[in-house]
Amino acid sequence: MKPSRSVPPDAPHLEASPLDAPLGAANWILDQITAHPQAPVAAAVVGPGGTGKSLLLERAARQYARSGVDVTAISPGRSIELESLDGESLDLARPLLIDDAHGLPEATLTRLRTIAQAPDARVVVAYRPWPRPAGLRGLSAALSRTHSPTVLTHLDRSAIVDRISSRLRIQAPISLVELVQEQSGGLPWLTDLVTQALVDSGGFNPARPQEFRRPQRVNVSAGLAERLRHRIEELDPEVRRLLEAMAVGADLDADVLALLLDSDASELDETVEAALATGLLTESGQIIGFIANLVLRLAPTLRSRKLQRRYAEIQLERGGNMLTVGEQLLNTGASGTTVAAALEAAGEQALRERPELADKLFTAAVAAGAREQRLGVRRAHAAALAGDHTTALRLAEEVLADPSNPDRKRAVMVAAALLAPRGLPDRSAQLYSSVAESAVLAAPLLIGTGERARVQALLEAPVSTDTETSCLAEAGRRTALALIASIDTGHTEALAQLTSAITLLEPAGETLLLSDTPAALSAVVATQCGELEVAEAALSRAVVSRLGGRPAHARHLLLHGWISMLAGGLGAAHRALHKASTSLSQSLQPREELLAAALQAGLACREADSDARGADSLGAGSIGTGSIGTDAIHAAWQRGRRALIGYPVDLYSLQQIGELAIAAAAAGEADGVAPYLQQADVLLEKLGNPVLWAVPLHWHRLHAALAVADLALARHHAQRLAAVHVPSRYAAALSAAGDAWIHTIDQTVDSAVVVQVAHQLRTVGLSAEGARLAAHAAAAATDPKDATTLLGCARTLAGGTSGTRTSPVVLTDAPFESHSESAAKPMEHTSYMAGGTQTPESPSATGGVDVPKPDSVLSLRELEVGRLILAGFTHKQIGGKLFISAKTVEHHVARIRQRLAVSSRTELFGRLRSLVAEATDQ
């Protein structure tokens, strides 16, 4: 892509700072000159190169000129002024502005000290912190009598914001500020250059700042490198060599630099101080990103390759950080034993720190000469963590096919973890069981298919003492105990054991490959017994620690959506479903596709049910197919039907099968889910019909029967719920609710009982279900007072679910964006000036219209009505969703129009969008 606008040949150097750029700590000098140009001023200004010292002197000269005062400018490159300094022609009445004083002769510095000591002197001296000759120390002391030296440094984040905003006359977006800070290190002239280069190349359009998307990688173009070549070539040769060494990854470590530069460590002090004084290193001693790229581009290719190889050798010998070495070697084409070993070591480190990079490093190691067979399983592990399951399985199977390969155990872990979510839990369990150290990891798969006795045998087997696998094995053992407890004793012991398993695995985080994470299993168990807050907490911990890496992220995200749906947070559930189905980098595996399809079906049925109540204006409507048979349900069921084919019935998918049974019944295709329900019955029977797993399925099947008005079948499942005698608050709530639903269908509503049952549902996290029961009971009530009471109950419970129960950490993909490509698919490459920046299309942000605070304009109820109006719902549908009449909705809309003082539909929608958006941001 060519630059969006050309830069004329006679344009000023981009690296020159604008004369109106902020100067921070040095502003007091300019303020004093402006206020009292004839008054004495003695100031020393110290800072690395490029921090604005020359700019300060130029602005001081301009300010004196505005006041009619001539100045004498002195620097090492101005010989005429230096000669006059010791002659009779020097006019001491004129202000002296001295730049780069560190480079002046000792005699000149001594003379300047004498001048600066005069009480009426007007002297401003700028210099670098290195070198520090004796004459400069004396001059600095003389100038410091009335004011300490002013120190100019690299800019911090807020100063960069001010500088960019001043230069471009806009409020700089944070993503642009972060990129400029990263590339410029806060060096003022470089901050200006990077900003201008992004504008000139088309990477950033000041007219549309909200559209900026930071690139994944930034290079220095050939043209810009040539324009800046003089800045590198004019450096002291030793400083330039030091910068080249740091550009290939070396830190300010004397031992490493001495080996890399063939120097004596004791001789590097002055070189390092000189390099710091250039400003091309940050204050912490790191080479600035842009400068590193520039130095590498300008350095001779063979010299750069030699430095890279030598640095790789040093780090391998020292056992140092190899990740930087590996990244430097990527895409260079370098090869050989040392390079291959360095890339391999970097790949191993990346598996622990940046899994998405490891695959590239291992692939490069093979290209550089490493044995492919030896790296096969590590490449498989890296590909799996990066989300490329197909490649990972292929590589793992190649290792498994070789009986002599020493990495077969590791290949078992990769293949077993990936096969289970692909619909092959039996093969996954077989692989885990084939290795003694990992056999216990088969427990969730075996329990899921009803093999309780085999899991008991695994728990009774001797425990491995291998320190490398002890944490994983112990977590697996606790997970197995938890799932046994979920069958035998209930959820309390199960959730406690799963929580401890999460704790054991958190340190390993995203490097672990598991068929299912303890966090996901904890969420599943918790939703089976109504402990939705426990489920959310487990998933939040998993996301913070990135447990299971990218392969587990979609499952965690969808389970969060499932919890939100059960709690009534349909908006949050929709967002989770959308993100998991469309935004994540990898496609959904069959297990997660089944979960996504069931989530889509559950949302469609709940929304259609709400619409049906609105259509009836909360009158005595049915709960049959006619009330919830919509296109959305048909579409969801078709997706679910395909998903059921792709994944076998297991214990952890029973709720999903139940939701799909409701959707299938509503779509008039109940027979389509019947075989899977039969398999679920067989599975539960095999396990002794454990209450925790059986009760929720009966609850779903009760509603599937209600959807087709099969009262006999509905009574059967209500009786199965009532037959549970094991102490269980959740089972008791569902049993009471099942009985209440039967009475609602029979129109023998006892409002007091329904209200009690509805609130009982709320205590187990099912406020939305309680609200739905109360609303339908109100429609069936014959006494207007009972109907009013039940509607009030429905509104109360719905009010507790109108918000979202989402934890922000669960709904974000950020933990993975920090190490890899973002889910928003940022640009892959940016080249300053030449090559340009490619920016994806993005919708414009809402205009900056000043609107009052939402809570000062509309009530919370009116805001909720406004949201639903914007979503396209009719007054009747809104009434159904909020458990109010359509006439009440009309009154709310009229009140909204009056409060907003709008006269047209377009104006109403515009104001509502602004208010709703502002309320959401708060």
Side-chain angles (χ1 to χ4, degrees), residues 573-584:
H574 271 296
R575 289 192 293 274
L577 176 61
H578 176 76
K579 194 175 189 69
S581 299
T582 63
S583 301
L584 298 181

Side-chain angles (χ1 to χ4, degrees), residues 715-770:
R715 286 192 176 91
H716 167 74
H717 288 292
Q719 290 167 2
R720 292 294 298 271
L721 289 170
V724 175
H725 299 298
V726 177
S728 168
R729 186 175 58 138
Y730 188 70
L734 294 190
S735 175
D739 187 61
W741 270 109
I742 296 300
H743 284 290
T744 296
I745 298 303
D746 289 339
Q747 296 191 350
T748 55
V749 174
D750 184 328
S751 62
V753 171
V754 171
V755 168
Q756 180 182 356
V757 171
H759 283 280
Q760 191 176 357
L761 286 171
R762 182 180 63 177
T763 65
V764 293
L766 300 181
S767 294
E769 292 290 348

Side-chain angles (χ1 to χ4, degrees), residues 874-889:
T874 66
H875 290 183
K876 287 184 178 180
Q877 290 171 328
I878 293 172
K881 291 180 181 296
L882 300 182
F883 305 104
I884 57 180
S885 70
K887 180 61 75 174
T888 302
V889 175

